């Protein structure tokens, strides 16, 4: 199978994210909870599902033999070596409350390596994108992560997965981190947090319990902007830890988080 042209994958990701964002934005007013997932606060709306379906239709309409992994269960097995990671609405709780901080996240992996990422924030009119090896962009203009900073002067974004069993541990970890940094931000969208690292509007972001659709696009965008993105002890980002920061700060935060143990009550 010949490798697809990353520019073509980027154009398709941009189209899917734009159409998904337009649909979701039109449906935000008056939206209500349709169902819950891992806990009563882990909600899904009708628009999470409808947006994922639209994105899936756009992607598979153009490339019917690709694989897809979507948050709302939209899996497709493919045969091309290309897999799409889709979070139709990252920041569903913000979406539910009529807030602006939610994003559509679409990434393309080729043979397991992310090559394209798009994060669209419809209400803000912002599109972040990256192609592996070609830098990161916001609305087409190059962006780069903040200059190196000491941990004590770092503005650190974080997120909290909604699984009830994680919450107490997340609070304990935060109580260790908060006194060691400049301040904490909890925006409510992992994809937006990673783009904030990419543009330097925070110095770092960490979360435990995130999923590939949360970080697929944003991790590439942050990496291409000059940040380091990874998990514990040299691993790629994973469910145990998703950490993004400029080199130097990355290691300091990693060494603070690493001894704090697994992120669950059990
Ligand atoms: C959530 C958001 C949130 C993060 C959670 C995610 P969703 O995604 O990214 O910021 O802290 O871990 O589950 O459910 O709104 O797509
Ligand atoms: Ca969700
Ligand atoms: Ca998400
Ligand atoms: Ca989501």
């Amino acid at each position: 199978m010949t490798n697809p042209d990353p520019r073509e994958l980027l154009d398709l990701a941009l189209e899917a994210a734009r159409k998904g964002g337009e649909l979701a934005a039109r449906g935000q007013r008056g939206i209500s909870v349709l169902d819950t997932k891992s806990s009563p606060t882990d909600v899904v709306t009708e628009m999470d599902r409808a947006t994922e379906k639209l994105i899936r239709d756009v992607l598979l309409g153009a490339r019917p033999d690709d694989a897809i992994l979507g948050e709302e269960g939209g899996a497709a097995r493919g045969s091309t070596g290309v897999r799409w990671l889709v979070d139709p609405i990252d920041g569903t709780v913000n979406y539910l409350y009529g807030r602006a901080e939610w994003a559509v996240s679409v990434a393309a992996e080729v043979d397991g390596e992310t090559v394209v990422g798009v994060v669209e924030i419809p209400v803000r009119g912002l599109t972040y994108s990256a192609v592996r090896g070609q830098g990161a962009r916001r609305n087409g203009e190059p962006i780069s992560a903040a200059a190196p900073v000491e941990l004590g002067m770092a503005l650190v974004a974080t997120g909290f997965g909604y699984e009830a069993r994680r919450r107490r541990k997340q609070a304990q970890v935060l109580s260790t981190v908060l006194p060691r940094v400049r301040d904490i931000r909890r925006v409510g969208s992992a994809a937006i947090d990673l783009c904030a690292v990419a543009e330097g509007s925070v110095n770092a972001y960490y979360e435990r319990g995130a999923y590939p659709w949360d970080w697929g696009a944003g991790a590439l965008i942050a990496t291409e902007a000059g940040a380091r993105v990874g998990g514990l002890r040299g691993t790629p980002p994973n469910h145990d830890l998703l950490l993004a920061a400029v080199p130097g700060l990355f290691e300091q935060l990693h060494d603070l988080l690493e001894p704090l143990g697994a992120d669950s009550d059990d």
Side-chain angles (χ1 to χ4, degrees):
M1 190 71 60
T2 54
N3 272 352
D5 180 354
R7 303 299 307 185
E8 285 174 22
L9 297 179
L10 175 67
D11 287 345
L12 186 54
L14 286 166
E15 181 192 347
R18 179 178 50 77
K19 288 182 171 164
E22 286 169 359
L23 179 75
R26 281 200 303 275
Q28 188 176 13
R29 187 183 290 263
I31 195 72
S32 58
V33 173
L34 177 70
D35 206 351
T36 59
K37 297 163 94 173
S38 64
S39 72
T41 54
D42 185 4
V43 294
V44 59
T45 73
E46 174 195 338
M47 292 310 297
D48 292 270
R49 292 188 185 158
T51 303
E52 183 164 306
K53 181 180 180 310
L54 175 69
I55 292 170
R56 180 192 162 97
D57 288 349
V58 171
L59 296 174
L60 293 186
R63 299 183 49 89
D65 299 321
D66 288 355
I68 295 190
L69 179 66
E71 184 189 355
E72 308 306 340
R77 297 169 72 91
S79 57
T80 62
V82 175
R83 181 173 78 151
W84 296 91
L85 298 171
V86 176
D87 193 337
I89 298 178
D90 185 52
T92 295
V93 172
N94 287 338
Y95 183 81
L96 183 65
Y97 279 74
R99 300 179 61 94
E101 303 89 357
W102 56 272
V104 180
S105 177
V106 178
E109 295 174 338
V110 177
D111 298 331
E113 183 180 69
T114 312
V115 295
V116 157
V118 171
V119 172
E120 175 105 5
I121 311 176
V123 181
R124 298 254 189 263
L126 292 172
T127 304
Y128 295 82
S129 63
V131 173
R132 179 168 292 274
Q134 296 181 25
R137 292 174 183 272
R138 180 184 56 218
N139 290 354
E141 298 297 321
I143 51 171
S144 55
V149 61
E150 283 302 308
L151 184 61
M153 287 296 121
L155 184 60
V156 177
T158 189
F160 309 115
Y162 297 111
E163 292 104 326
R165 67 187 180 87
R166 294 185 175 277
R167 289 257 144 164
R168 185 185 308 275
K169 185 70 189 195
Q170 287 171 335
Q172 285 169 2
V173 169
L174 182 62
S175 73
T176 300
V177 175
L178 179 58
R180 303 287 305 274
V181 301
R182 182 194 291 271
D183 208 349
I184 290 287
R185 292 291 179 270
R186 197 296 194 245
V187 163
S189 161
I192 294 178
D193 288 323
L194 287 161
C195 292
V197 173
E199 69 184 7
S201 60
V202 297
N203 298 109
Y205 160 65
Y206 78 91
E207 177 158 350
R208 297 167 143 216
Y211 290 91
W213 49 77
D214 293 315
W215 72 70
L220 180 66
I221 293 165
T223 303
E224 287 295 321
R228 180 172 169 190
V229 182
L232 289 171
R233 296 177 287 276
T235 56
N238 55 61
H239 201 57
D240 290 333
L241 181 65
L242 165 61
L243 172 59
V246 283
L249 179 59
F250 180 100
E251 289 75 16
Q252 289 183 60
L253 253 178
H254 174 278
D255 293 352
L256 183 64
L257 294 168
E258 201 257 326
L260 298 180
D263 184 20
S264 71
D265 281 343
D266 51 30

